Amino acid sequence: MDYSRLFSEDTYSFFRSPVRDIFKRVDLNAIHSFAGGYPSAETFPLDQFKATMCEVIDRYGGKAFQYGATQGVTELREVLSSRYGVPVERIQITSSSQQGIDVCTRILADPGDVILTSDPSYLGALQSFRSYRADVTGVPHEDDPQAFREAYETVIGKLIGQGRKIKFLYMIPDFQNPSGETLSLEERQILVDLARKYGFLIVEDSPYRELRYSGEHLPTIWSLAPDIVLHLGSFSKIFAPGFRLGWIFGHPDVLDKIYVCKQSLDLCPPVFDQYVAAEFMDSGRLDRNLAHSIDLYRSKRDLMLSLLGEYMPEGVSWTRPEGGLFLFLTMPEQFDSVAFYDTALDNGVAYVAGSFFRTDGGGRNTMRLNFSFMSHERIREGIILLAGLLRDELSKLK
Amino acid sequence: MDYSRLFSEDTYSFFRSPVRDIFKRVDLNAIHSFAGGYPSAETFPLDQFKATMCEVIDRYGGKAFQYGATQGVTELREVLSSRYGVPVERIQITSSSQQGIDVCTRILADPGDVILTSDPSYLGALQSFRSYRADVTGVPHEDDPQAFREAYETVIGKLIGQGRKIKFLYMIPDFQNPSGETLSLEERQILVDLARKYGFLIVEDSPYRELRYSGEHLPTIWSLAPDIVLHLGSFSKIFAPGFRLGWIFGHPDVLDKIYVCKQSLDLCPPVFDQYVAAEFMDSGRLDRNLAHSIDLYRSKRDLMLSLLGEYMPEGVSWTRPEGGLFLFLTMPEQFDSVAFYDTALDNGVAYVAGSFFRTDGGGRNTMRLNFSFMSHERIREGIILLAGLLRDELSKLK
């Protein structure tokens, strides 16, 4: 049977994640993998997970295994409400933060509508945006606030001049994936000003926010303008990704569309997992564990930065993230991280080519490195290995 | 801010589930609820769940809490493969069977495409189909196979004459929701013949299949034509709905589209829950527990059928399901189950009006009753109560 005749138009805009396909190809534990965005398994306190689960079963009984409310179970929304100071009725639980991105796109973007984002940006978001045939327009980050504003004004002005509809701006303001960069308060305020001026929403994706290792916490974009921001949170980096739980803060009029959409998407988020997350937070275990995770990841970040300084050949530069899971390397213009990938993998080291995160396919001389997943020892071995391979490759390009 | 200007076209076809909204309005434990499709909490062996979870944590450690493969964890796909005799590569795990329906619709239906279904049909499926602006065309069930074929041929012929594209036929062949009816082998074969003749797929939704209380198991439609059928399974009725896990069997060319779509939907199904499901099945606990559930539900079905026979006023008829969770009542033409709903709820009994399951809004003289959720005692009280209310109402209509 010729199935292609039956597929929807959207399917022709689907593209597969090169990151997820790497995981199908190699055993992450057998190589030095800087590729994934995985938390370290050291941050999963298995005995506490067991204890929390038993407590949930004893306290809630069968209710923990039934269908649940589409918005998420009340207990979890209440704990989030008091943790983040957001009213319960402005909180929707999602079956992963990725679902948060997807459902926001679903309720907002028609084919041909414009979604603005930083360039580079999160690959999973680009997949979702394109799967709805939205036109994703990337804006490279400018360090000076004036230049930052002008870069967006220029792009927006051009799009509006073409009669295009801008539906939302997607942004990871804290320790961005993939760049590791953080937006200043002034930059956050500029984005809010632009959204108000041109009448679009901001989807603030905030999975790494609580993983800060240095510098000072900045306000969320949500806190600056809760009427025009959809704020996406995730348990994946502060608890465990295997539970597939996240949340959306938003205006009730927008959340209502998301609520109805979620009914037909999957009825409700995983119920038992939600009670476990609520209990893990409410018992204080999450915060105690998070403090350990932050110490662990800080030491890994510091180790990686110091190894990069010690071993990387001339011509390679990198970002210095204040938190999160990633830093971003830039090699000389002639270097091609897509072509180089097989060499690296054959030698036992994996990364993600920077061009995969670009809306325009550019940035082939960049790569994303994760510092959370591997042990200190493997980070050391892996960076020394990668630096040696890059040194050889760059000397050939000269 | 006027958000309506920003919403996608799809959102204007969203409609909210009257069933889910009932759950927001009333405490199910405070009334006699025949409304939901909830399994009985008696079928959740809490101590076995605890034991299984501890075994999973001991066996898999941190892996059970990490991100997992988009297709689902290998261990779960292998257990399903040996249980149902389907190759592992033809199995995609979903974050609920509802997601299975949604993702099939997403990869197949463009706005205006036709989806065929029985009339009445599962409400959550109608929600999903309409949310993509598909044209849902219902075909009432005819008991005689010849009339059954002709009813479909007539509808299909008319649609093709209008130049419409039929993408798939959606069907729950075993103990249908809401009617409780089961398709005969001959009817299953007729649907396969029609799909081959006219070049559409069949989405076979099979959440209740293993809950058979009488009669003989019939082959799945999938087993008759695996190249043109997408078979949806669910753990919700044989294990627990709170884990939000289901599966799709399908041809690899179709599953590949679903796989890429699922990457951007939510990356992967809940990982810990998948290991728990795999362990619960592999240890033999699922089958032992299922045998108890079948005995329990059979006795509830039998009780309800006997109470209906004893207490319902003249002019009310009902289906006699061989399995599943529901039976379907038909009252005289003048009766309106939507209008009657508030009276019933005020008196402490809930059901779902039959017209909510219809593609054409008809069947206002019908209602769906669930017999799995409540205790025997509450079923008895609830049916006697409902019968009394119906008797009063029908006497007024005469």
Side-chain angles (χ1 to χ4, degrees), chain B residues 196-207:
Chain B
R196 290 209 189 281
K197 180 172 171 186
Y198 295 105
F200 54 78
L201 299 180
I202 296 174
V203 174
E204 177 182 38
D205 192 6
S206 205

Side-chain angles (χ1 to χ4, degrees), chain A residues 5 20 33 41 56 74 80 101-102 113 126 137 178 183 187 205 220 225 232 253 272 306-307 315 317 331 339 387:
Chain A
R5 201 178 46 79
R20 296 239 108 204
S33 175
V56 163
T74 308
L80 287 171
I101 295 169
D102 195 74
D113 282 348
L126 301 182
T137 302
L183 292 189
E187 288 168 333
D205 192 7
T220 58
L232 310 183
D253 291 355
F272 178 71
S306 113
L307 291 166
S317 62
M331 274 62 67

Side-chain angles (χ1 to χ4, degrees), chain A residues 1-3 7, chain B residues 86 89-92 107 201 222 225-231 248-259:
Chain A
M1 183 152 183
D2 173 21
Y3 302 105
F7 292 138
Chain B
V86 173
E89 64 275 14
R90 296 202 168 202
I91 303 174
Q92 167 72 50
I107 67 149
L201 299 180
W222 157 264
D227 58 323
I228 58 164
V229 175
L230 290 158
H231 175 94
I248 306 177
F249 302 152
H251 188 280
D253 291 356
V254 185
L255 281 194
D256 185 63
K257 295 287 180 197
I258 290 172
Y259 165 79

Side-chain angles (χ1 to χ4, degrees), chain A residues 210-260:
Chain A
E210 300 210 38
L211 297 175
R212 179 178 272 281
Y213 319 129
S214 53
E216 290 200 1
H217 274 288
L218 292 167
T220 58
I221 306 178
W222 158 264
S223 70
L224 303 176
D227 58 323
I228 58 164
V229 174
L230 290 158
H231 175 94
L232 310 183
S234 173
F235 282 108
S236 293
K237 322 301 189 209
I238 61 172
F239 182 32
F243 293 113
R244 314 307 298 129
L245 287 174
W247 61 85
I248 306 176
F249 301 152
H251 188 281
D253 291 355
V254 185
L255 282 195
D256 185 62
K257 294 287 180 196
I258 290 172
Y259 165 78
V260 183

Side-chain angles (χ1 to χ4, degrees), chain B residues 117-121 126 137-141 152 176 357-362:
Chain B
T117 186
S118 58
D119 214 346
S121 189
L126 301 182
T137 303
V139 182
H141 186 255
Y152 278 92
Q176 202 240 18
F357 304 98
R358 286 280 289 261
T359 66
D360 58 1

